[in-house]
Amino acid sequence: MGKKNRMMKAAIALSAVAVLGISGIANAKAYKPSQHTGHVTSAKAKNVILFVGDGMGAAQRDAIRLASTGLSGDLEMNKMPYTGVVHTSSTSVVTDSAAAATAMASGVKTYNRAIGVDANKVSKRTVLEEAKQAGKSTGLVTTSQITDATPAAFGAHVENRSEQSKIAKQYLKNSKVDVLLGGGEDYWYPQGTQGAYKDHPAKDPSEASKGTEGNLVDEAKRLGYQYVSDASGLKKAGGNKLLGLFANEEMFEQREEGQGDQYDPVVSLPEMTKKAISTLSKNKNGFFLMVEEEAIDGMAHENNASQLIKAGRQLDHAVKVAKDYAKKHPDTLVLVLADHDCGGMTVESVDNSDESGDGISKEDGPFQVAGSSAQFVVDWTTSHHTAVDIPLTAIGSGASLFEGTYENTYIHDALLRAMGLKK
């Protein structure tokens, strides 16, 4: 080949690279992870720690960041080298938590309220179950009921998310999750059998034992689980199988501002995360752990920004626990994402106008920007979920698999690839 032809071909190649670079940015929505040609971390992820900030869209992250670290600081969940954008729809335009978690856990789009089954109600294996089969230990942690939609979709298969006692039984008998930490004691005891938390408490008289599958706490003990119900018990707990139930229902009070709203779990999310990691990491084959902060979604449903921010800070502290572990164990993958957005939330400057009116969606704030005299307000467009995309951030072994824009079902595929359980 002549010098002139070689130079012409090189120029054409460079032009193509430039065009692809520009069009790649302009057409981010067309990104297909299966066609990923960039650097992919070759090492397998021995351990996976997946954080789900339920209902945490980009605006929620921004409000938490501004209130916690200011204009120039950043959250632990944001200080990760790989980012993704996730489409959240189920078989409906707007998903619920059950269908969204099922998409991430099992890789299928399904109907709202479905847990671990596809649109035809056929059970689909989850990443947690695949990890278990591969010899890894598994865990679920949440500030919601441990049998609520997000954790349930990783460890159970039912046609309706309301079947929480069946979900609990499946954790013990079928998926055999090693560590279960969260609220929802009421679904583990039959009606009339009070557990560690009083039935019909003054804060919410509707809360009471309502299990349909017998005394599942006793069943868990028979199966070798150590059962704990408070922070002291959790701290002292040993062994490889652990059940912790720390509230009748959610570990917070989901209400409008000033109407009994409260985010003050008896055991914090960072504490539960730390205990779960220390327990699961005893397994030389590694572990899979899903950690959920449910109150971000719960408070967004009530358009309650102050409690949402408080919960978000605790999620970020829990992420720091996981990142500290990953620094010492580089074969660990840590991801932070959401299942969907909730509230149609925006972050605005402080002024005299409130476009959303005086109802539940009225502006919240003003909130102080950390480390400055600046302030911001939070405004809302709905008290329900939305279909907007959510951000994902990742660090550690296999994290590069999560770059780009993709459907929520891709999370399942990429997690299996990261663990070396799928080509």
Side-chain angles (χ1 to χ4, degrees), residues 5-24:
N5 286 341
R6 286 197 301 270
M7 290 177 66
M8 184 177 294
K9 287 198 172 188
I12 292 170
L14 285 171
S15 298
V17 169
V19 170
L20 285 172
I22 295 169
S23 64

Side-chain angles (χ1 to χ4, degrees), residues 105-155:
S106 294
V108 294
K109 294 283 188 179
T110 191
Y111 59 93
N112 290 348
R113 302 193 68 79
I115 294 291
V117 299
D118 66 14
N120 296 314
K121 302 183 179 179
V122 177
S123 294
K124 297 295 180 181
R125 287 179 63 82
T126 74
V127 290
L128 182 148
E129 291 169 329
E130 296 284 0
K132 187 73 173 179
Q133 185 173 349
K136 298 181 185 294
S137 292
T138 58
L140 298 170
V141 172
T142 182
T143 54
S144 188
Q145 301 96 334
I146 191 60
T147 49
D148 198 14
T150 301
F154 284 86

Side-chain angles (χ1 to χ4, degrees), residues 295-313:
I296 295 172
D297 180 68
M299 297 306 178
H301 276 295
E302 301 295 337
N303 290 176
N304 186 332
S306 62
Q307 297 297 316
L308 182 155
I309 290 169
K310 188 175 182 181
R313 285 173 173 158

Side-chain angles (χ1 to χ4, degrees), residues 90-92 94-100 102 108-122 158-161 163:
S90 59
T91 53
S92 302
V94 178
T95 191
D96 78 335
S97 292
T102 296
V108 294
K109 294 283 188 179
T110 191
Y111 59 93
N112 290 348
R113 302 193 68 79
I115 294 291
V117 299
D118 66 14
N120 296 314
K121 302 183 179 179
V122 177
V158 295
E159 294 180 9
N160 194 304
R161 61 185 287 179
E163 301 175 276

Side-chain angles (χ1 to χ4, degrees), residues 348 353-363 378-381:
E348 300 178 345
S353 65
D354 184 354
E355 301 88 347
S356 58
D358 296 327
I360 186 176
S361 62
K362 65 182 181 294
E363 286 181 349
V378 166
D379 214 345
W380 308 89
T381 59

Side-chain angles (χ1 to χ4, degrees), residues 53 56-83 296 308-321 323 327 334 336-337 345 347 370 376 391 393-395:
M56 186 176 67
Q60 284 84 351
R61 280 206 191 202
D62 283 336
I64 297 162
R65 173 181 60 84
L66 289 170
S68 304
T69 64
L71 289 169
S72 57
D74 217 336
L75 300 170
E76 289 295 332
M77 68 178 82
N78 291 341
K79 292 187 286 186
M80 295 184 172
Y82 296 97
T83 61
I296 295 172
L308 182 155
I309 290 169
K310 188 175 182 181
R313 285 173 173 158
Q314 288 301 299
L315 172 62
D316 204 51
H317 294 331
V319 171
K320 177 66 161 56
V321 170
K323 287 175 67 176
K327 285 179 184 177
V334 181
V336 185
L337 47 68
M345 177 177 163
V347 177
F376 67 93
T393 46
I395 190 170

Side-chain angles (χ1 to χ4, degrees), residues 125-126 128-140 151-152 154-157 166-180 188 219-220 223-225 240-243 279-280 283 287-288:
R125 287 179 63 82
T126 74
L128 182 148
E129 291 169 329
E130 296 284 0
K132 187 73 173 179
Q133 185 173 349
K136 298 181 185 294
S137 292
T138 58
L140 298 170
F154 284 86
H157 307 272
K166 288 183 180 179
I167 290 164
K169 189 172 184 178
Q170 288 185 28
Y171 287 163
L172 302 179
K173 297 294 188 70
N174 298 350
S175 54
K176 299 179 181 179
V177 184
D178 297 287
V179 173
L180 296 161
W188 294 72
E219 180 66 17
L223 292 171
Y225 287 82
N240 299 323
K241 298 176 75 175
L242 180 60
L243 171 64
T279 302
L280 297 171
N283 187 339
F287 63 86
F288 176 88

Side-chain angles (χ1 to χ4, degrees), residues 376-421:
F376 67 93
V377 297
V378 166
D379 214 345
W380 308 89
T381 59
T382 180
S383 58
H384 301 291
H385 298 172
T386 77
V388 302
D389 295 345
I390 57 95
L392 174 151
T393 46
I395 190 170
S397 187
S400 60
L401 289 166
F402 297 88
E403 286 185 299
T405 301
Y406 38 80
E407 293 293 331
N408 50 9
T409 51
Y410 174 72
I411 304 298
H412 163 270
D413 300 341
L415 285 172
L416 291 182
R417 286 178 62 191
M419 290 187 284
L421 302 180

